[in-house]
Amino acid sequence: MTPTNLTPLFPNTLLARAERLRLMPHRRRTNRTQGEHHHGKGGTSTEFSDYRDYVAGDDVRFIDWNIFSRLNEPYLKLYQHEEEMRVVCIVDASDSMNFEGKFDLAKQLAAVFSTIALASREKASAYVCGPEGQPPIAMQPCTGRASRSRVLKFYENLEVGGTMPMERAIDEALRRHTGKGIAVLLSDFLTFGSVEASLNRLHASGLEPFAIQVLSPSEIDPDVEEDVRFIDAELQHSLDVSAMKDLMALYHEQRWNLEQRLAAACRQRGGRFVSVSSDEPVERVVVERLIREGWLR
Amino acid sequence: MNFTAPWAGLLALAAIPIVVVYFLKLRRPRRTVPSLVLWQKVLEDQRVNSPFQRFRRNLLLWLQLALLACVVLACMQPFVSGGGGSDALPIIVDVSASMAARQSDGGPTRLDRVKEELLELVDDLPGGKRVAIVAAGARATQMSDFTADRNVLRQAVDRLAVEPVETDLTPALRLADGMTQSATISELRLYSDGNLPTDPNSPDGIAVIPFDLPFAVDFRQVEDEEPIANLGIIEASATRSGESKWEVFIRVSASGGPGRADVVIMQDGEELRRDPLVLEAGVTQRLAFTLGSSSASTIVLKLEPKQFDALDLDNRVRLDLPAARPLAVQVADSLPAFRFAADGLVNRRFVDTAADLLITDAEGTAPVNLVIGTVPEGLAEFIEMTAGHNDVVDWQRSDPLLRHVQLSDVQFVEHPSYKDSASRQDIEEAGYRVVAETANGPLIVRREQGRQVDYVFLFDPDRSTLPFRIGFPVMIANAADIATSRAELSDVRGVTAGVLPPLGVDRAGEYEVVRPSGKTQTVRADGRRLLRGVVVDELGDYVIRRDGTDVRQFGASLLSTIESQLAGVDEVRFSDVTVEANDNAAPSSDQSLWRLLAAIGLAVLVFEWWYAHRPALPSSSGGRRQNTGQPLQGSPSSLSRS
């Protein structure tokens, strides 16, 4: 008998595994409020971190009396600092994502990240940007496993459609977001504008960009041989292209340049970047890409 | 470059619908993509990297227009002028025996190669150009009048055939000269292998044709890739030796290379002997054989080559040996001195009719006639008899009648003299040649009419000291030798192609001449029982029949030194100009270009088909960069597609 999945987004096995994972940001971007995120030494958690010499004014409760009895010198025990980290998922829901399961994979990955955040007692929130001129669909910050069903329901009910470019989506999310932490960007990043400026603002807001580019197989390796008129799904612009075979090398070079540019932009801002294909199962993306590349542990 | 049908250029208007249809047809399939961002950048890169992309995008259109251009140009029938300013071009084709030479066994003859080139010329004949074809053998034959009709010209070319004769271009040139009355001719084209009569005084062997050219001559020599070996009989004769023997002589020539053959002698169909013969190139050898025959017989001498022989026509000779008989001599009773001298001739018999030698004081009807003391009607207006003493001042010592005859001390009591302003030239214009003369006029004149030769003594020998001179019987013996030779009683020579001299027959009337090919010719013997106008244009055995009965047989042979020695000359000297063979690569005719254009159009069509249906190349990897071909190590997408 096949067990019923808790969410149609992904199987229970992935859900269970996600609850055991932890986010691995490059830098401490935490908030004062206490959470379960091990931030550094000097914390109040039960997990030992280090010793240091006692100085006047230190809380005597943290003196290791066993060492004092042997060495007759007071040493202070340091514990891991556990702080709360904000995990905000900014999901591109424009029409360009409505191809070959791009938006589905984006939703699944956003749900995975939110689940991990909830399980780590971080505050998870989400902004889904679709129609131009309308505020993004927001999932208010929530924390704790009790919020899991609400978060999953939020992602299950998302609809795709709109023309809002990703850089505008980031700006709209930042306008409404507070707190430091990680910003998971889920988009194809196929925008005529510049994402770098939005990433700067993201960085300035204390959010470490975790950018995941979701491309469809037909975008990774277009299978077009004849002269064709391309229609932009978002803007409905047309573009006549001939001699497709001769242009494929240029196309791949442009796509590779875009990936390199996005990766560099994220890296320079302390973040990460990965490009995935929408035909890849979300489990494989999580296990073989995110865990292997150190995004998760 | 000119165009035969420039109006066909209107077909270029077809380019308009082609362009229209091309762009109408160019309805691209629409394909919705998530974003045009990458494609936009690709096109920007493409414009920078490939400025000819616009051209490549419409390559099919350009190919179609190129194909149309080829078709239009081909329809306009362009051609490159091959020379020849006027519209009329007479072409003289040498059809002499040497044009039957081949370069290899079973290969085309020289004439075949000329005909092939002529057919190409006819096929490429531009509009408005008229051509006449003349065959030049021993005589000229107009194969076609000036015409632009390709069918007529092709038939004329097909009718060209080798004639077993030596080349004589003069009649053909005269014929072409006559054509200038009906057409403007600026140039004449001559196809020949150069086997033409040469100037014996020219060390470099230039052909000489005494003809004033009214037009330029384009001499196209038919050359062989390398000298071709030929062994041929160039002379053949037989001389009676005694009552029942004949000495047969032939001369064999080797040209172009060493020759090796068997010489076969057949008499009346039976092989008498066979001798091997080996000759170096350029060497001629005289061969002699002795045959016994007192009756009429036929001798056939053949060369059976043991290696490649370029020309077959000169390998066979036929000699018809007459039966032995005494010379028939008839002497008028009024000439006792002559009868007395003839009485001393050896192997002769006096007859009253059908004489081989007639000595008379009236008109002569025999093959050889000595007409004594009579002034022919044709000379009566120039000559009169003058009484008085006179001496011979000159005589033709080389004339057969006067060989070994001394006339310097012969005295004349009465002698012929020129009338008034008459002169030797008038005698010659009347058809006579002076062989002996005094200071005042001719003594003996000679006239040849076909097979008949007349020696006319314009004086009365009885009124001179001639009968008393030692030279008189010698002269009669010379006349007998001439008659013997004419009657072929002592010498027989091979018959060559052409029109035979009059043949003596028994009766007047119609005769049928059967040629070697089986064709027949009807000829008539006149009252003098001479058969005239027998045309010999084939080599082989001929039969003359009357009422179904064979009257006479003879065989025709080539027997030509010029034709057997196949090395021609490449320079011809006419009366006022010397023409060299045109060996340059200039087109032999107006070169039509429509075939070339059609070929280019076909190539364009094939390329267009291939371009439109070329197989799809393997899809290039998404992780490969242009130019470098290096895989994008670490590319996120490449990792994603593991």
Side-chain angles (χ1 to χ4, degrees):
Chain A
M1 180 177 175
T2 304
T4 303
N5 288 328
L6 195 63
T7 172
L9 292 172
F10 39 72
N12 291 342
T13 53
L14 179 59
L15 181 62
R17 181 161 190 172
E19 291 181 339
R20 296 195 300 271
L21 293 174
R22 292 291 182 269
L23 292 166
M24 297 297 293
H26 280 134
R27 301 175 64 184
R28 291 178 297 177
R29 291 181 185 277
T30 55
N31 305 284
R32 291 295 179 188
T33 54
Q34 189 174 3
E36 287 192 356
H37 189 82
H38 294 166
H39 182 265
K41 294 179 289 188
T44 57
S45 68
T46 57
E47 194 166 342
F48 171 76
S49 175
D50 203 355
Y51 290 100
R52 72 170 171 81
D53 293 340
Y54 172 82
V55 296
D58 285 342
D59 190 346
V60 295
R61 289 181 301 170
F62 296 106
I63 291 176
D64 190 333
W65 298 109
N66 290 328
I67 291 179
F68 180 77
S69 64
R70 287 198 299 272
L71 303 178
N72 205 26
E73 289 287 337
Y75 286 93
L76 207 63
K77 284 179 73 174
L78 300 181
Y79 295 88
Q80 285 285 355
H81 190 101
E82 293 182 352
E83 293 180 342
E84 184 184 72
M85 185 172 64
R86 298 291 174 86
V87 178
V88 56
C89 294
I90 304 174
V91 182
D92 180 5
S94 62
D95 286 324
S96 67
M97 292 294 287
N98 190 19
F99 273 86
E100 300 176 18
K102 287 167 66 177
F103 187 66
D104 293 338
L105 182 60
K107 284 193 303 183
Q108 291 169 331
L109 288 172
V112 168
F113 275 96
S114 296
T115 303
I116 294 172
L118 293 177
S120 304
R121 298 187 61 83
E122 316 289 5
K123 275 197 173 176
S125 61
Y127 297 95
V128 180
C129 306
E132 181 79 74
Q134 295 183 16
I137 303 170
M139 181 183 73
Q140 296 305 318
C142 54
T143 184
R145 287 178 175 78
S147 304
R148 187 179 64 185
S149 60
R150 185 168 67 88
V151 169
L152 294 177
K153 188 66 72 179
F154 170 80
Y155 287 117
E156 289 170 11
N157 295 329
L158 284 180
E159 295 290 337
V160 66
T163 59
M164 183 181 292
M166 190 57 191
E167 66 273 17
R168 184 82 55 80
I170 295 173
D171 293 343
E172 290 289 335
L174 285 179
R175 194 175 301 165
R176 292 163 176 79
H177 177 75
T178 56
K180 298 175 182 177
I182 295 173
V184 181
L185 308 177
L186 293 154
S187 171
D188 53 11
F189 294 100
L190 298 177
T191 171
F192 287 100
S194 172
V195 186
E196 282 81 354
S198 300
L199 291 178
N200 285 340
R201 286 190 281 277
L202 205 66
H203 181 65
S205 302
L207 290 173
E208 182 175 324
F210 275 26
I212 300 177
Q213 185 186 32
V214 183
L215 295 177
S216 63
S218 64
E219 288 174 307
I220 293 173
D221 193 5
D223 185 18
V224 184
E225 293 183 349
E226 56 186 354
D227 295 349
V228 69
R229 170 168 293 177
F230 286 127
I231 306 296
D232 191 313
E234 285 184 15
L235 307 175
Q236 300 301 315
H237 293 168
S238 65
L239 185 69
D240 291 343
V241 180
S242 301
M244 288 296 300
K245 289 178 182 172
D246 301 332
L247 298 181
M248 290 314 298
L250 282 176
Y251 176 86
H252 290 300
E253 183 173 1
Q254 285 297 332
R255 186 176 58 77
W256 186 80
N257 287 340
L258 175 63
E259 293 177 6
Q260 293 301 305
R261 188 162 54 83
L262 290 170
C266 293
R267 191 169 55 248
Q268 290 163 2
R269 291 156 183 82
R272 303 173 189 268
F273 173 83
V274 71
S275 179
V276 299
S277 175
S278 63
D279 61 349
E280 290 186 75
V282 63
E283 298 95 323
R284 202 165 77 184
V285 173
V286 171
V287 174
E288 296 186 3
R289 305 297 302 277
L290 302 182
I291 295 177
R292 187 169 295 175
E293 296 186 19
W295 292 39
L296 305 172
R297 189 182 65 181
Chain B
M1 186 169 69
N2 301 311
F3 294 95
T4 304
W7 49 266
L10 293 174
L11 290 174
L13 294 175
I16 295 173
I18 286 179
V19 173
V20 171
V21 168
Y22 179 82
F23 284 108
L24 286 178
K25 170 186 166 292
L26 203 63
R27 293 185 58 185
R28 299 164 182 271
R30 298 163 65 91
R31 183 160 180 167
T32 303
V33 293
S35 174
L36 295 178
V37 173
L38 292 177
W39 290 114
Q40 193 80 47
K41 291 178 180 175
V42 164
L43 290 187
E44 289 170 3
D45 274 10
Q46 178 200 25
R47 291 188 185 103
V48 173
N49 295 334
S50 184
F52 297 104
Q53 190 59 34
R54 183 180 295 275
F55 170 79
R56 293 179 59 190
R57 280 172 55 189
N58 295 323
L59 184 57
L60 278 177
L61 174 63
W62 293 117
L63 287 174
Q64 289 172 10
L65 292 179
L67 178 60
L68 175 67
C70 290
V71 172
V72 171
L73 284 174
C75 290
M76 292 170 72
Q77 299 181 34
F79 63 89
V80 177
S81 176
S86 64
D87 293 335
L89 176 67
I91 296 176
I92 294 179
V93 181
D94 180 2
V95 293
S96 62
S98 59
M99 293 294 283
R102 302 174 190 272
Q103 284 185 295
S104 60
D105 278 328
T109 65
R110 291 174 172 177
L111 184 61
D112 291 337
R113 286 149 59 196
V114 171
K115 289 166 76 172
E116 187 177 347
E117 187 171 338
L118 285 175
L119 289 175
E120 289 181 9
L121 184 146
V122 170
D123 289 340
D124 296 338
L125 196 65
K129 193 83 172 181
R130 296 182 303 148
V131 169
I133 297 175
V134 176
R139 53 199 168 92
T141 306
Q142 186 168 355
M143 310 304 289
S144 76
D145 202 349
F146 280 117
T147 179
D149 190 328
R150 289 185 172 86
N151 289 330
V152 172
L153 291 173
R154 284 193 198 99
Q155 292 171 3
V157 172
D158 288 340
R159 287 201 307 274
L160 287 172
V162 171
E163 298 176 7
V165 294
E166 290 186 1
T167 314
D168 186 1
L169 291 180
T170 306
L173 292 170
R174 286 204 187 97
L175 183 58
D177 190 14
M179 291 178 178
T180 57
Q181 304 298 321
S182 58
T184 303
I185 300 173
S186 61
E187 185 183 66
L188 174 145
R189 186 168 297 175
L190 169 64
Y191 287 95
S192 173
D193 55 3
N195 276 43
L196 303 170
T198 56
D199 182 358
N201 298 320
S202 172
D204 49 356
I206 297 177
V208 176
I209 300 176
F211 187 81
D212 294 327
L213 289 175
F215 32 63
V217 171
D218 178 11
F219 176 25
R220 304 294 176 94
Q221 188 179 17
V222 184
E223 290 181 303
D224 302 313
E225 295 174 358
E226 55 186 14
I228 51 178
N230 181 51
L231 204 62
I233 302 173
I234 57 175
E235 289 179 10
S237 64
T239 302
R240 182 180 293 279
S241 173
E243 283 292 324
S244 60
K245 286 187 179 179
W246 287 86
E247 294 288 341
V248 179
F249 305 98
I250 62 170
R251 185 177 293 277
V252 181
S253 166
S255 65
R260 192 160 57 88
D262 282 348
V263 181
V264 180
I265 303 176
M266 304 181 71
Q267 184 174 23
D268 295 329
E270 293 184 4
E271 182 177 318
L272 291 185
R273 57 188 294 178
R274 175 185 291 266
D275 298 318
L277 175 68
V278 177
L279 284 184
E280 292 296 320
V283 173
T284 63
Q285 183 166 342
R286 185 171 183 266
L287 305 175
F289 311 96
T290 300
L291 301 177
S293 174
S294 56
S295 58
S297 65
T298 299
I299 305 297
V300 174
L301 302 108
K302 292 194 296 183
L303 290 178
E304 291 186 355
K306 297 300 182 185
Q307 60 184 34
F308 169 69
D309 190 61
L311 193 60
D312 297 331
L313 298 178
D314 56 0
N315 291 346
R316 183 181 187 274
V317 172
R318 169 174 166 159
L319 298 174
D320 291 289
L321 306 181
R325 65 174 175 83
L327 180 70
V329 179
Q330 181 181 359
V331 183
D333 295 338
S334 58
L335 301 170
F338 285 88
R339 186 176 185 85
F340 180 76
D343 196 32
L345 296 174
V346 178
N347 195 24
R348 60 97 188 102
R349 64 184 174 96
F350 287 107
V351 295
D352 296 330
T353 58
D356 298 314
L357 172 62
L358 173 61
I359 303 175
T360 179
D361 54 0
E363 185 181 1
T365 58
V368 178
N369 301 287
L370 299 184
V371 182
I372 310 300
T374 302
V375 177
E377 289 183 2
L379 299 181
E381 55 181 316
F382 307 120
I383 294 174
E384 60 183 0
M385 297 307 294
T386 304
H389 179 76
N390 208 335
D391 296 326
V392 179
V393 296
D394 192 18
W395 68 96
Q396 297 289 328
R397 291 166 179 81
S398 60
D399 190 277
L401 182 68
L402 300 182
R403 276 182 297 189
H404 313 299
V405 176
Q406 177 62 257
L407 297 178
S408 59
D409 54 353
V410 176
Q411 301 292 314
F412 300 93
V413 178
E414 185 184 46
H415 59 89
S417 303
Y418 290 117
K419 281 184 181 177
D420 302 332
S421 61
S423 66
R424 180 175 180 150
Q425 185 176 357
D426 296 322
I427 303 297
E428 293 178 349
E429 288 179 353
Y432 292 85
R433 187 165 64 87
V434 177
V435 296
E437 60 185 340
T438 66
N440 303 103
L443 287 173
I444 305 173
V445 295
R446 169 183 171 143
R447 182 180 67 170
E448 286 199 48
Q449 289 181 314
R451 193 175 172 82
Q452 178 179 333
V453 58
D454 296 338
Y455 284 94
V456 181
F457 290 68
L458 299 173
F459 62 97
D460 185 356
D462 292 340
R463 299 178 65 83
S464 70
T465 60
L466 178 62
F468 305 102
R469 306 303 303 172
I470 191 64
F472 183 69
V474 174
M475 185 175 66
I476 298 303
N478 285 342
D481 287 343
I482 296 172
T484 302
S485 176
R486 294 268 170 163
E488 295 184 340
L489 295 178
S490 61
D491 295 306
V492 175
R493 296 189 176 276
V495 176
T496 57
V499 178
L500 288 187
L503 299 174
V505 291
D506 295 336
R507 290 187 293 173
E510 284 192 350
Y511 288 80
E512 187 181 52
V513 180
V514 182
R515 300 180 184 181
S517 62
K519 297 178 182 175
T520 58
Q521 176 194 4
T522 302
V523 292
R524 174 175 288 277
D526 56 15
R528 297 162 69 181
R529 292 174 294 171
L530 292 176
L531 207 57
R532 300 175 187 271
V534 176
V535 177
V536 175
D537 53 4
E538 300 174 18
L539 297 187
D541 298 334
Y542 287 73
V543 179
I544 299 177
R545 289 177 179 161
R546 177 185 171 88
D547 299 332
T549 305
D550 294 352
V551 175
R552 184 166 179 174
Q553 294 184 352
F554 63 92
S557 312
L558 180 58
L559 298 177
S560 167
T561 304
I562 294 176
E563 300 300 322
S564 290
Q565 294 178 350
L566 299 176
V569 297
D570 56 2
E571 203 169 348
V572 181
R573 182 186 300 153
F574 294 92
S575 296
D576 50 356
V577 66
T578 300
V579 175
E580 292 185 5
N582 186 6
D583 294 332
N584 58 23
S588 60
S589 63
D590 290 346
Q591 292 296 302
S592 176
L593 300 178
W594 73 267
R595 289 190 185 88
L596 174 65
L597 290 166
I600 294 174
L602 182 61
V604 170
L605 183 63
V606 170
F607 178 74
E608 182 185 359
W609 183 91
W610 171 84
Y611 186 80
H613 298 86
R614 63 191 188 283
L617 295 173
S619 236
S620 56
S621 168
R624 289 189 177 271
R625 302 189 59 181
Q626 193 183 31
N627 302 329
T628 63
Q630 296 296 321
L632 302 179
Q633 298 295 337
S635 165
S637 62
S638 63
L639 291 175
S640 69
R641 288 181 287 106
S642 62

